[in-house]
């Protein structure tokens, strides 16, 4: 029996998936996926795999040999794992990061589901992302998935980062890939940032500022005024109500927290592993 044939059978040996990272103890994915497997009556087991960078190669070979169905991948392996896989999707290649792996009978395929999760979460919150104007704060790994998603939707994107050179490198890379102009700002350039925000419908925080254990952080300079027409998406989900989202609501603008993206990137991984639609509400409730 192939792995695919066995997915819907109730077997004594569970089908295995898990999350590989270093550390992984803080991850909400086990709760989310375990709840989903239970809800659909699947005999699947989700494990934590704390694996140091120097042990990654052995760990990935173990996954291949021992017929795990797949993995989620988290910090610090999202980029480095690419070299250990047999194939990655074009989207994961452009974003430069894999957060989900599917084991297709010993062939390991890498996906990026973060960008899909982001778009699904936006739509779910009532924001149609097609052909809008967005300002993205940050130029790291999370920003890459978000900028990819927005460009894929035909949005006009401005990237603002503390380290402007990093933003310029990212903009150049994606501008070439999508044949689009991408504006770049330093987070210190308050006048430029205010003007870009006034002209945008969407602002996305892809920096880690505001995240626990520093929940008082705010990625935007205090003098920036948020116009009421703006939708602010904060990728930070811990805490859910960040300083930036408090400020957004105080300004009469619309705020969306980062939990939806987490749920929807997980739902997409679930779909890739099982071939089934994920029980979104069960997954959300498991981590809320
Ligand atoms: P992730 O995978 O979460 O995106 P990352 O790749 O380390 O993590 O990127 C972190 C992002 O948060 C970067 O854009 C970083 O800005 P720099 O490129 O200038 O370092 C941003 N960031 C982190 N701490 C920050 C701070 N105190 N102020 C402003 N930006 C910050």
């Amino acid at each position: 029996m192939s792995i695919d044939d066995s997915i819907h059978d109730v077997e004594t040996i569970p089908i295995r998936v898990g999350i590989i990272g270093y550390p992984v103890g803080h991850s909400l994915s086990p709760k989310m996926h375990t709840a989903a497997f239970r809800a659909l009556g699947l005999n699947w087991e989700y494990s934590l795999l704390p694996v140091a960078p120097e042990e990654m190669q052995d760990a990935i070979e173990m996954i291949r040999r021992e017929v795990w169905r797949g993995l989620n991948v988290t910090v610090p392996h999202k980029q480095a794992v690419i070299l250990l896989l047999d194939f990655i999707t074009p989207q994961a290649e452009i974003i430069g990061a894999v957060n989900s792996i599917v084991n297709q009978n010993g062939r390991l395929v890498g996906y990026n589901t973060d960008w899909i999760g982001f778009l699904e979460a936006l739509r779910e919150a009532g924001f149609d992302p097609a052909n809008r104007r967005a300002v993205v704060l940050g130029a790291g790994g999370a920003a890459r998935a978000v900028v990819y998603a927005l460009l894929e939707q035909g949005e006009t994107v401005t990237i603002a980062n503390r380290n402007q050179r990093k933003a310029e490198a990212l903009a150049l890379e994606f501008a070439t890939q999508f044949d689009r102009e991408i504006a770049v700002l330093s987070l210190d350039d308050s006048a430029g940032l205010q003007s870009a925000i006034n002209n945008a419908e969407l602002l996305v925080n892809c920096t880690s500022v505001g995240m626990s254990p520093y929940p008082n952080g705010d990625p935007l300079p205090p003098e920036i005024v948020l116009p009421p027409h703006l939708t602010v998406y904060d990728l930070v989900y811990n805490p859910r109500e960040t300083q930036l989202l408090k400020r957004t609501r105080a300004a009469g603008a619309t705020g969306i927290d980062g939990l939806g993206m987490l749920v929807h990137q997980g739902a997409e991984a679930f779909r890739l592993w099982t071939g089934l639609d994920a029980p979104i509400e069960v997954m959300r409730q498991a981590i809320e």
Side-chain angles (χ1 to χ4, degrees):
M1 185 187 282
S2 74
I3 307 170
D4 288 313
D5 293 336
S6 67
I7 286 174
H8 306 294
D9 289 351
V10 178
E11 300 198 338
T12 44
I13 302 172
I15 295 176
R16 305 197 75 176
V17 289
I19 182 163
I20 195 161
Y22 203 66
V24 285
H26 64 284
S27 172
L28 296 176
S29 294
K31 269 189 187 161
M32 191 162 68
H33 286 288
T34 301
F37 295 146
R38 288 217 182 104
L40 297 192
L42 298 175
N43 185 19
W44 286 48
E45 193 175 290
Y46 194 103
S47 307
L48 288 174
L49 297 173
V51 174
E54 61 275 18
E55 279 148 16
M56 266 302 268
Q57 190 158 1
D58 288 348
I60 292 294
E61 287 318 308
M62 185 272 287
I63 296 301
R64 193 199 300 276
R65 272 196 323 271
E66 296 189 6
V67 205
W68 285 52
R69 180 60 182 168
L71 290 178
N72 286 135
V73 184
T74 189
V75 178
H77 302 316
K78 284 185 177 190
Q79 289 86 32
V81 77
I82 290 174
L83 292 174
L84 305 174
L85 304 177
D86 301 301
F87 182 78
I88 67 167
T89 63
Q91 295 89 344
E93 184 159 7
I94 296 172
I95 294 167
V98 159
N99 74 330
S100 303
I101 298 172
V102 179
N103 185 351
Q104 298 176 340
N105 299 315
R107 181 171 173 267
L108 299 183
V109 180
Y111 295 82
N112 187 298
T113 68
D114 283 333
W115 72 279
I116 301 171
F118 171 66
L119 288 180
E120 282 301 309
L122 265 185
R123 292 196 187 102
E124 185 181 66
F127 186 92
D128 174 7
N131 303 313
R132 306 290 196 100
R133 284 162 299 181
V135 176
V136 172
L137 308 179
R144 292 183 69 94
V146 165
V147 170
Y148 177 87
L150 295 173
L151 291 172
E152 200 263 344
Q153 289 293 304
E155 294 215 17
T156 303
V157 176
T158 298
I159 304 172
N161 198 41
R162 177 176 61 179
N163 177 342
Q164 191 176 339
R165 293 185 118 182
K166 203 161 136 192
E168 279 162 3
L170 177 79
L172 185 64
E173 196 186 322
F174 278 81
T176 311
Q177 201 61 243
F178 281 87
D179 199 18
R180 304 275 304 252
E181 296 234 346
I182 300 173
V184 166
L185 288 168
S186 160
L187 266 182
D188 292 337
D189 176 3
S190 292
L193 193 56
Q194 184 69 65
S195 158
I197 287 173
N198 290 346
N199 286 315
E201 289 104 10
L202 179 67
L203 174 74
V204 189
N205 176 35
C206 301
T207 76
S208 46
V209 183
M211 197 184 289
S212 173
Y214 305 106
N216 294 326
D218 182 339
L220 279 182
E223 60 275 19
I224 297 291
V225 177
L226 298 174
H229 74 264
L230 194 71
T231 294
V232 176
Y233 193 107
D234 199 337
L235 259 57
V236 173
Y237 56 82
N238 180 21
R240 282 186 74 179
E241 187 75 357
T242 58
Q243 283 302 325
L244 176 61
L245 288 183
K246 285 182 189 153
R247 180 174 171 182
T248 300
R249 299 194 213 286
T254 306
I256 311 174
D257 70 55
L259 203 79
M261 177 173 170
L262 184 71
V263 170
H264 284 284
Q265 64 75 30
E268 181 63 12
F270 184 95
R271 199 184 64 74
L272 291 169
W273 294 329
T274 64
L276 303 172
D277 282 342
I280 304 277
E281 286 316 312
V282 168
M283 294 173 84
R284 193 193 319 272
Q285 276 167 23
I287 59 172
E288 235 165 10

